[in-house]
Amino acid sequence: MFNILLFSGIIGLITALLLVPITKQHNAEKESKPFPVVQSFMAVLLLTVIISFIFYYFTNIDQNFTSVWIFAIIISALGALIAKGYERMIKGILFVASLCIGIYMITAPIFNADDKYEQVKVEEKVEIEAFDETKTPASVPPQFARNKMKKAFGQVPNTSYYELGSLQIQKVDGHYTYIAPVEFSGFFKWWNADSTPGYFTLSATDSSANPKFIKADMIYTPSSYFNKNIERHIRMTYPKRIFYGDVQLEIDDDGKPYYISTYGNFVSARNGFIAEGIVMVDPKTGETKDYLLSEVPEFIDGAVSPEAVSLQNSYYGKYIHGFWNSVFGKSDVKLPSDEGTEANVSPIFDEHGDMYYFTDFTSPKEGVDSMLGYSLTNSRTGKATYYTGNLEESYMDSQGALQIIEKKFIEKKWQGEMPVLYNFYGEASWLTPVLDSNGFLQNYFIVSAANPEISAYGNTPNEALKGYKVALQKGGSKVDGTSKAEEKQTTGKVVRLFKEKSGDYTVVSFLLDNKQSYIISSEVYPFAIYLQEGDNVIVTYLDTGEEFLPVKEMTINGLQ
């Protein structure tokens, strides 16, 4: 509170010096009475202090003098207009100086576009690594999770006082979990309750799991008022810090909640943002700590806010050849998708449990749903990798995947949510949960980004993945061995056999005397069409653990 008062006092003092004429004023006919300089000075000072305090207190804007550049132009102009003689000249010079600063502020987005692009420092690769079929991606859609939490809201004491807060995903004690705090439902509810009772958790991988309410008193929250509001509390402690993005709730492995906010610096002037660290607040005691990104506690997954990552994506996509190119020529410009679940990005986890923000990029040309690439940004460090995909193939973007789902279930009016691109069996593929009109999860849909006619769906991600593997074989695509499944070889006699025509190729499913079933397309091995029961074969396959193992190579004894 003292910081705001002091800052407002300085602004008030400077305003009074600029606005109130110090020299005596004369008219054309007679000398006027001495100008009440002191009274006017004190009146302007007091009024400005009050207005400044109210403005900075309720907006939570940073208390740096660059934040008053518009105000400085107006006040210095009025001061120069009112003043006379040498005083007018001095204040006129101050007006010109403030105007130059204002021009610099306004034009900063034009001249710092290259700096924004350089600050992103995105590593580029061709293709994302293959997804491990033995692992289940965090694929429960946020809308479905939120609906389940709302239905479990009866677990909250004094339910009428509260409502469900913002939903986010986190790894808690090794499990991928959705978290949503309980928030006040209004001013008078906050006045009476003073603290919120806790938060909800729900598995992000198991759609059949039920939400759990965890008791944890929280006084400093986003829905609290005055000095108990979490953002204002942070601003009071760090008056000059530059924050970007909403505060987020993070849970340590013992279940203790903390609110965090991402801070950083402007690229130049008061434009752009580069994340540098976080401020962490204990919502019960209000105790605050700040960490650089390299020092963030291990339990915090989303150190860089989704909003900051989304902004970073826009820099990388728009400013590859500077500002003017992003407006007119648009050469090599790519637009980040707005299909993400948090500020246009989607949080996902890799096999090591590290969280990344996923975003796909598309062309700025209208009517084009071809994907130009996709990025993965580490949520703790802010470092991003951009994947161009196979440049010889045209990949469908996330919007195209959602349109396919909408057409697939047009009669049921089901829609996809949270499309994420994976590499399944060496094929760039969109995995998307499908929800009904009420927001309840119905199935998981997988479609090839390069071949939209190849798709499958199932009640679980792994069930959909099994069907997708068969669809890839039927569609003539190859299982090329880029999957993380171990490549093995076996020999045996064919016991049972089934052949199915699929386009220009034949898909052959066969059972060996080792009691294991396999599947292969004639595109992979043309002589598979001659396979018969009783044949002895040598099979090289991928040990994915599935019922039908995909075959990479095969030899039929006596035929070759």
Side-chain angles (χ1 to χ4, degrees):
M1 188 74 72
F2 175 76
N3 289 321
I4 298 181
L5 283 171
L6 178 62
F7 189 72
S8 300
I10 295 174
I11 294 176
L13 180 62
I14 295 174
T15 301
L17 289 172
L18 287 173
L19 203 57
V20 178
I22 298 175
T23 58
K24 294 182 179 181
Q25 303 296 306
H26 299 267
N27 56 31
E29 298 180 357
K30 61 180 181 178
E31 185 176 322
S32 65
K33 293 182 180 180
F35 192 76
V37 175
V38 176
Q39 295 91 324
S40 299
F41 187 91
M42 294 305 298
V44 172
L45 174 62
L46 182 60
L47 181 62
T48 305
V49 168
I50 293 173
I51 294 175
S52 299
F53 179 85
I54 293 173
F55 174 78
Y56 282 96
Y57 183 80
F58 285 102
T59 62
N60 286 326
I61 194 171
D62 62 282
Q63 294 160 37
N64 293 293
F65 286 108
T66 54
S67 64
V68 298
W69 66 270
I70 296 177
F71 182 71
I73 294 174
I74 297 172
I75 294 302
S76 60
L78 290 175
L81 187 64
I82 296 172
K84 300 293 184 180
Y86 287 109
E87 185 178 347
R88 169 176 284 187
M89 183 181 67
I90 294 172
K91 292 182 178 179
I93 294 173
L94 293 175
F95 166 69
V96 172
S98 64
L99 188 62
C100 291
I101 293 174
I103 293 173
Y104 171 66
M105 294 290 185
I106 293 173
T107 57
I110 297 175
F111 298 107
N112 68 8
D114 291 333
D115 291 334
K116 290 176 180 176
Y117 184 79
E118 290 299 323
Q119 288 282 357
V120 173
K121 297 180 181 178
V122 173
E123 181 185 2
E124 291 193 4
K125 292 184 178 180
V126 175
E127 196 66 74
I128 192 172
E129 295 181 359
F131 176 76
D132 188 344
E133 302 85 2
T134 63
K135 299 183 182 294
T136 303
S139 53
V140 173
Q143 184 179 348
F144 174 67
R146 189 172 183 83
N147 285 343
K148 295 194 75 169
M149 288 181 180
K150 284 183 176 180
K151 291 187 177 299
F153 211 73
Q155 301 177 39
V156 179
N158 297 319
T159 306
S160 62
Y161 278 51
Y162 309 105
E163 61 187 13
L164 195 64
S166 299
L167 189 75
Q168 64 193 65
I169 194 171
Q170 187 189 346
K171 184 178 67 174
V172 181
D173 196 21
H175 301 285
Y176 305 136
T177 307
Y178 278 114
I179 301 168
V182 173
E183 299 284 1
F184 295 109
S185 59
F187 175 79
F188 292 104
K189 304 299 175 61
W190 165 77
W191 186 269
N192 292 324
D194 189 50
S195 66
T196 58
Y199 58 90
F200 278 95
T201 65
L202 178 66
S203 172
T205 58
D206 184 3
S207 60
S208 64
N210 292 318
K212 295 181 180 179
F213 174 69
I214 309 298
K215 293 183 179 180
D217 289 339
M218 292 186 281
I219 297 174
Y220 296 87
T221 73
S223 59
S224 299
Y225 289 82
F226 302 119
N227 290 355
K228 299 299 176 64
N229 177 272
I230 187 67
E231 293 179 342
R232 184 165 296 115
H233 178 72
I234 293 174
R235 174 55 68 202
M236 294 279 192
T237 310
Y238 302 93
K240 295 183 180 298
R241 283 274 170 82
I242 309 302
F243 295 96
Y244 195 86
D246 295 331
V247 294
Q248 295 193 96
L249 188 68
E250 294 272 348
I251 310 299
D252 67 14
D253 290 342
D254 296 324
K256 182 174 176 55
Y258 294 91
Y259 275 107
I260 67 168
S261 183
T262 303
Y263 72 82
N265 266 316
F266 298 116
V267 175
S268 65
R270 289 185 63 84
N271 182 259
F273 179 81
I274 299 298
E276 295 180 347
I278 68 162
V279 168
M280 185 175 73
V281 183
D282 185 330
K284 185 174 183 180
T285 65
E287 180 184 359
T288 61
K289 294 181 180 179
D290 64 294
Y291 301 90
L292 294 174
L293 290 180
S294 59
E295 302 170 350
V296 169
E298 187 176 352
F299 73 87
I300 292 178
D301 291 304
V304 182
S305 67
E307 293 85 356
V309 173
S310 185
L311 190 66
Q312 175 178 303
N313 287 334
S314 71
Y315 295 161
Y316 179 72
K318 290 171 59 179
Y319 299 134
I320 184 170
H321 298 309
F323 175 82
W324 295 115
N325 179 72
S326 70
V327 178
F328 298 109
K330 297 186 178 181
S331 173
D332 297 325
V333 167
K334 40 192 174 285
L335 300 180
S337 167
D338 59 358
E339 298 297 338
T341 59
E342 294 184 24
N344 297 332
V345 297
S346 294
I348 62 173
F349 291 87
D350 68 5
E351 63 176 8
H352 305 294
D354 296 325
M355 192 170 88
Y356 290 81
Y357 292 115
F358 167 84
T359 310
D360 66 299
F361 290 74
T362 188
S363 170
K365 186 176 181 180
E366 294 185 7
V368 177
D369 61 0
S370 177
M371 185 183 68
L372 301 180
Y374 47 95
S375 68
L376 291 177
T377 305
N378 189 294
S379 61
R380 285 175 54 87
T381 66
K383 294 182 179 179
T385 302
Y386 181 78
Y387 298 88
T388 61
N390 187 341
L391 299 178
E392 296 180 357
E393 297 182 353
S394 179
Y395 286 169
M396 172 179 59
D397 64 13
S398 57
Q399 185 60 43
L402 294 177
Q403 290 174 356
I404 288 178
I405 294 174
E406 185 177 356
K407 293 176 182 177
K408 182 75 173 181
F409 304 105
I410 189 169
E411 294 182 357
K412 297 181 179 180
K413 297 182 179 180
W414 292 354
Q415 294 184 332
E417 181 183 315
M418 196 179 74
V420 176
L421 193 71
Y422 289 93
N423 190 328
F424 293 134
Y425 303 109
E427 186 87 2
S429 313
W430 289 103
L431 171 63
T432 309
V434 180
L435 308 180
D436 62 21
S437 57
N438 295 317
F440 290 101
L441 182 65
Q442 295 300 322
N443 60 47
Y444 292 88
F445 191 89
I446 304 178
V447 59
S448 168
N451 303 288
E453 68 277 5
I454 301 176
S455 63
Y457 59 90
N459 293 328
T460 66
N462 284 335
E463 183 179 324
L465 193 59
K466 291 179 181 179
Y468 185 62
K469 184 254 299 185
V470 176
L472 283 172
Q473 290 279 9
K474 290 182 178 180
S477 294
K478 298 181 180 179
V479 180
D480 64 2
T482 59
S483 168
K484 290 182 180 295
E486 183 181 357
E487 186 177 301
K488 294 183 177 181
Q489 189 178 79
T490 188
T491 59
K493 179 183 291 187
V494 177
V495 178
R496 292 287 187 271
L497 182 71
F498 178 77
K499 299 178 182 180
E500 181 181 7
K501 188 69 175 177
S502 179
D504 296 331
Y505 303 100
T506 300
V507 177
V508 180
S509 304
F510 57 96
L511 174 68
L512 295 184
D513 53 6
N514 62 3
K515 307 301 180 181
Q516 179 62 60
S517 297
Y518 304 85
I519 186 171
I520 189 172
S521 170
S522 60
E523 183 192 19
V524 177
Y525 179 62
F527 289 101
I529 60 175
Y530 301 122
L531 189 65
Q532 297 179 351
E533 293 180 1
D535 284 345
N536 291 308
V537 296
I538 303 173
V539 175
T540 301
Y541 65 96
L542 297 177
D543 189 11
T544 63
E546 298 169 294
E547 187 174 349
F548 285 83
L549 300 176
V551 176
K552 183 181 178 183
E553 297 176 0
M554 186 172 74
T555 301
I556 303 175
N557 292 338
L559 188 62
Q560 293 174 283

